[in-house]
Amino acid sequence: MMKFSTPLPGDAESLKQIIKELKGSIDEVYMAGPSEYMGSGRATLHSPLLEDIGRQASYAHRHNIKFKLILNSSCLSGQHLTSNGYNIFRKYLEELETLNVDMVIVSDPYLVEMISKELQGLKVGVSCIAHVDSPQRAKFFEDLGADEITVDTNINRHFNLLEAIREATDCKLKVIANEACLYKCPFRYSHFNLFSHITASPQIAIMGDYYFEKCISLRVREPTLIIRSPWIRPEDIPEYEKIGIDMIKISGRANTTQWIIDTMKSYTKGHHKGNLLELLDCPNELRDHFYIPNEKLEGAIKQWKTCKKSCHKCNFCENLAKELILRRRDL
């Protein structure tokens, strides 16, 4: 049976509600760590104190659920390679070890190797922000000491690459099912860097999120881009189990607790009736503009499993978008 990783907003009450509603169908929970130590690559609702992390880890363990912390900043401003920065990060990680955090998820290769060699009681995973998109890159991180790898979402529908990564590695492999970023998004690196800095330094007052606004506007003008995004329908999870993917990760730790619960139920049950966009995390504002009947996407995975991604030659996604996507104003 496929295992599932569940996002947490960061507060204890949300954790209790999520476990109450989903106990028995989820294997692990994850959330961002305190912003004063390290940023993360996505927006965060709550910045927990260390004692909050300890209490939430203990609560999850009492229900036989693993507790993982996301420390996946794409840029640490070089601090981790200074003597003072190393000491700060090392002390922070040692504290997480004593709090019985099962694993930290990072994106920097240095941190992967440092944690795997110096903190024997703390496992380390590789974030999708490390852009693992080939067997060679996956093997590189595994050799550094990674216990698990979340692959780049851009290869979610590249089954030949997923199979090759599985054959090349022994560590656990995850795919993120409901991230709806643009396929091969040109803003992705810059957007991760932006969040990595503003989550670590909340005092930074940006004028606006150019990358997000551009991302939304592109898809409002060209809805085909929504279909091309590398999301995975709940009904198509068995295709990933067949090739040896160990776990499905659901993104959305900046969403409401009820949204997380509803989305997780759809994925763990392997079925969703209604608007596909209700399940997708990024950007969730699209559900206010469009309606995509999930049940009418049945069978599309057969095309995507063998697709060569030459969109200029293939009109499959374009035709699907024209046939299925409804604008809210037309409903």
Side-chain angles (χ1 to χ4, degrees), residues 7 177-181 212 215-217 219-220 223 226 231 250-264 266-267 272 274-293 325-331:
N178 66 325
E179 182 190 271
C181 290
F212 174 80
C215 177
I216 287 283
S217 64
R219 278 179 276 197
V220 169
I226 303 173
W231 40 259
I250 302 302
S251 68
R253 51 191 162 98
N255 285 280
T256 66
T257 302
Q258 192 58 53
W259 179 89
I260 292 171
I261 291 169
D262 292 341
T263 301
M264 287 301 309
S266 291
Y267 275 98
H272 178 72
N275 189 3
L276 171 74
L277 294 172
E278 293 171 355
L279 304 179
L280 304 187
D281 171 38
C282 179
N284 53 30
E285 286 77 4
L286 287 174
R287 70 188 69 144
D288 297 327
H289 296 276
F290 300 106
Y291 184 95
I292 304 176
I325 297 182
L326 298 173
R327 291 185 182 269
R328 286 289 189 180
R329 65 171 182 259
D330 298 328
L331 292 177

Side-chain angles (χ1 to χ4, degrees), residues 21 60 70 149 154 158 184-185 193 235 238 278-279 283 306 310:
E21 294 280 346
I70 306 294
I149 294 172
N154 279 306
H158 293 250
K184 297 294 185 181
C185 177
N193 278 344
E235 294 82 357
E278 293 171 355
L279 304 179
T306 58
S310 297

Side-chain angles (χ1 to χ4, degrees), residues 102-284:
D102 293 292
M103 179 181 286
V104 292
I105 312 297
V106 301
S107 58
D108 191 282
Y110 172 82
L111 291 178
V112 174
E113 185 168 23
M114 186 264 272
I115 294 167
S116 67
K117 288 183 176 180
E118 300 181 21
L119 295 127
Q120 300 305 311
L122 189 63
K123 292 189 175 183
V124 61
V126 177
S127 167
C128 72
I129 293 178
H131 307 290
V132 176
D133 58 2
S134 68
Q136 295 86 352
R137 197 172 181 91
K139 191 69 173 66
F140 169 79
F141 276 104
E142 184 177 57
D143 289 344
L144 287 179
D147 296 289
E148 73 170 37
I149 294 172
T150 303
V151 300
D152 189 340
T153 54
N154 279 306
I155 66 168
N156 276 3
R157 297 177 185 174
H158 293 250
F159 275 68
N160 59 329
L161 280 176
L162 292 174
E163 290 174 338
I165 291 172
R166 177 69 290 167
E167 291 172 0
T169 58
D170 296 315
C171 64
K172 301 291 185 183
L173 293 181
K174 281 182 182 176
V175 295
I176 300 177
N178 66 325
E179 182 190 271
C181 290
L182 292 167
Y183 176 66
K184 297 294 185 181
C185 177
F187 314 122
R188 193 168 174 83
Y189 295 89
S190 298
H191 208 186
F192 281 144
N193 278 344
L194 172 65
F195 274 116
S196 295
H197 286 288
I198 63 177
T199 53
S201 303
Q203 70 273 15
I204 297 176
I206 61 174
M207 295 183 293
D209 189 342
Y210 163 83
Y211 312 108
F212 174 80
E213 293 165 3
K214 192 72 175 177
C215 177
I216 287 283
S217 64
L218 284 172
R219 278 179 276 197
V220 169
R221 291 199 303 269
E222 189 178 347
T224 299
L225 295 173
I226 303 173
I227 301 295
R228 290 178 187 161
S229 294
W231 40 259
I232 302 167
R233 298 171 64 240
E235 294 82 357
D236 295 334
I237 296 300
E239 298 297 327
Y240 293 82
E241 189 172 6
K242 289 176 186 177
I243 61 173
I245 298 300
D246 298 290
M247 183 170 285
I248 297 295
K249 178 179 177 180
I250 302 302
S251 68
R253 51 191 162 98
N255 285 280
T256 66
T257 302
Q258 192 58 53
W259 179 89
I260 292 171
I261 291 169
D262 292 341
T263 301
M264 287 301 309
K265 285 182 177 179
S266 291
Y267 275 98
T268 57
K269 291 177 180 177
H271 174 72
H272 178 72
K273 185 176 181 180
N275 189 3
L276 171 74
L277 294 172
E278 293 171 355
L279 304 179
L280 304 187
D281 171 38
C282 179
N284 53 30

Side-chain angles (χ1 to χ4, degrees), residues 76-90 108-111 113-114:
L76 297 168
S77 301
Q79 292 300 309
H80 56 310
L81 299 180
T82 67
S83 177
N84 185 55
Y86 167 83
N87 290 332
I88 291 173
F89 291 148
R90 173 63 187 261
D108 191 282
Y110 172 82
L111 291 178
E113 185 168 23
M114 186 264 272

